[in-house]
Amino acid sequence: KILVIGANGQIGTVLLEQLRSIHGADQVIGSDIVAPREENGPFVVLDATNVLALVETVHRHGITQIYHLAAVLSAKGELDPLRAWELNMRTLFNVFEVAREVKLDKVFFPSSIAAFGDSAPQYDTPQATYLDPSTVYGISKVAGENWAGYYHKRYGVDIRSLRYPGVISYQSMPGGGTTDYAVEIFHEAVQHKPYTCFLREDTLLPMIYMDDAIRATLELMEAPVENIRIRSSYNLAGVSFTPAQVTAEIKRYYPDFEVQYQPDFRQMIADSWPKSVDDTAAYQDWGWKPQFDLARMTQVMIEKLSEKYQQKLLITQ
Ligand code: VAH
């Protein structure tokens, strides 16, 4: 059985639903620090910083795989660095220790393009390069990658990881990321409201549509163990774009859509990240290929969000 930690989060929400549709709802346990608004299968309120509670959950449900999707993201982490470090690392150690002791089959944990800093080449950032992250979130991801490699090498734990770009999705409002302008902008556009973007219009960042991010995660986890050559975390590429580019794409649907630019502290974070990443290793080892470009991502986001807001309108009328 599979446990998803952080199942209420942006990625966890969609991953839980996808895993349930593949394995059956009763085979996938969701968990987070609070119960979700709606439960479509077994869910445990779990504080993953509490190792005893985690062990108890693993034993009670006969868990054999963990997807660990709980963390404080880049922007929010900068507001309380030591809390972000403590939460991101304590939960990771608990998951790795339980995986070692209970001999779980597999563990997934996400790294991020936030693992790269000013020393990495900004275009086609390589799989192996010097990592000097500029945020506590990025520091915790680099530490996590090294601990994952250690637990694999020393204890044989099968931990697999992806360096996610900025993930774009319609299912939840984003929480505390630097790439989240690219989600917020769609919500404003479909409500016919102007958007104030917290990054400069020419800020080029690697992004990925949620369906691609989830498919990459499942393909990585299903790949034969002998194919997995990278035990830190795989670079993953979807599509890179700037606020100006996504705005132009949105204006094809909403010609009057207006965007203003008011860069804030998140601009420095974004400026330290890659503009595009080289994910050749993911292609070579487990056949990774993205399917969503900016045009297709925009079409789906606008379709899904205008449905969502229409429904809200109907309900509130
Ligand atoms: C963030 N969305 O902005 C996350 C992610 C690469 C971005 O790590 O912190």
Side-chain angles (χ1 to χ4, degrees):
K1 282 197 184 168
I2 296 171
L3 174 66
V4 177
I5 297 175
N8 294 344
Q10 181 194 16
I11 296 174
T13 310
V14 183
L15 189 59
L16 180 64
E17 177 203 322
Q18 283 291 318
L19 286 167
R20 283 178 171 164
S21 67
I22 294 167
H23 299 280
D26 58 353
Q27 296 301 306
V28 187
I29 321 296
S31 77
D32 210 310
I33 195 78
V34 293
R37 274 195 305 282
E38 51 176 280
E39 299 195 10
N40 307 312
F43 197 100
V44 173
V45 175
L46 170 67
D47 174 353
T49 62
N50 176 339
V51 69
L52 295 180
L54 177 59
V55 169
E56 203 271 332
T57 302
V58 166
H59 283 305
R60 183 144 49 91
H61 292 275
I63 299 298
T64 56
Q65 289 186 36
I66 294 181
Y67 286 72
H68 178 28
L69 277 301
V72 177
L73 295 182
S74 60
K76 199 153 165 237
E78 293 307 291
L79 307 180
D80 190 345
L82 292 184
R83 178 184 172 274
W85 171 260
E86 182 55 35
L87 191 147
N88 290 5
M89 298 313 292
R90 179 56 47 213
T91 55
L92 198 68
F93 285 129
N94 289 347
V95 168
F96 288 177
E97 272 296 278
V98 167
R100 176 176 69 80
E101 280 178 12
V102 179
K103 297 199 179 340
L104 295 185
D105 294 345
K106 284 177 217 173
V107 171
F108 176 79
F109 100 97
S111 181
S112 161
I113 56 168
F116 297 106
D118 293 326
S119 304
Q122 281 216 310
Y123 288 92
D124 296 325
T125 307
Q127 174 67 49
T129 186
Y130 186 77
L131 301 176
D132 53 347
S134 67
T135 59
V136 170
Y137 171 76
I139 294 169
S140 76
K141 290 304 180 183
V142 172
E145 290 187 8
N146 285 307
W147 277 107
Y150 180 85
Y151 269 78
H152 176 256
K153 191 157 185 241
R154 173 145 183 202
Y155 305 118
V157 184
D158 186 358
I159 302 167
R160 306 185 187 191
S161 181
L162 295 172
R163 287 168 178 163
Y164 286 133
V167 176
I168 311 300
S169 64
Y170 63 86
Q171 290 89 337
S172 60
M173 275 312 278
T178 299
T179 57
D180 293 334
Y181 86 86
V183 178
E184 294 166 358
I185 195 166
F186 285 103
H187 285 264
E188 299 311 299
V190 302
Q191 297 178 81
H192 303 283
K193 292 179 189 165
Y195 179 60
T196 301
C197 181
F198 53 73
L199 296 181
R200 270 198 330 267
E201 66 180 305
D202 62 345
T203 308
L204 182 62
L205 285 170
M207 304 284 195
I208 189 165
Y209 184 59
M210 177 63 81
D211 291 14
D212 268 347
I214 298 294
R215 181 171 54 82
T217 308
L218 300 180
E219 286 176 4
L220 169 70
M221 291 299 273
E222 296 308 318
V225 65
E226 59 274 9
N227 289 20
I228 308 300
R229 278 186 314 112
I230 306 283
R231 287 292 178 176
S232 49
S233 186
Y234 278 91
N235 281 6
L236 184 72
V239 53
S240 290
F241 56 80
T242 65
Q245 287 169 319
V246 64
T247 300
E249 200 59 39
I250 291 172
K251 282 188 169 196
R252 293 175 53 206
Y253 299 81
Y254 299 91
D256 306 335
F257 180 50
E258 288 294 319
V259 177
Q260 287 167 13
Y261 296 94
Q262 283 176 13
D264 65 15
F265 75 100
R266 288 168 284 194
Q267 186 64 49
M268 277 92 72
I269 297 175
D271 289 343
S272 72
W273 288 355
K275 296 185 183 307
S276 62
V277 296
D278 172 2
D279 63 353
T280 307
Y283 169 70
Q284 285 170 341
D285 291 3
W286 42 277
W288 167 244
K289 275 211 256 1
Q291 290 172 2
F292 283 79
D293 61 9
L294 179 57
R296 190 157 173 231
M297 178 193 294
T298 302
Q299 182 197 354
V300 177
M301 284 293 283
I302 287 177
E303 226 167 73
K304 295 290 187 183
L305 285 176
S306 36
E307 257 170 51
K308 201 169 177 174
Y309 284 98
Q310 288 307 324
Q311 278 158 13
K312 267 193 195 152
L313 263 181
L314 293 176
I315 295 165
T316 49
Q317 269 163 0

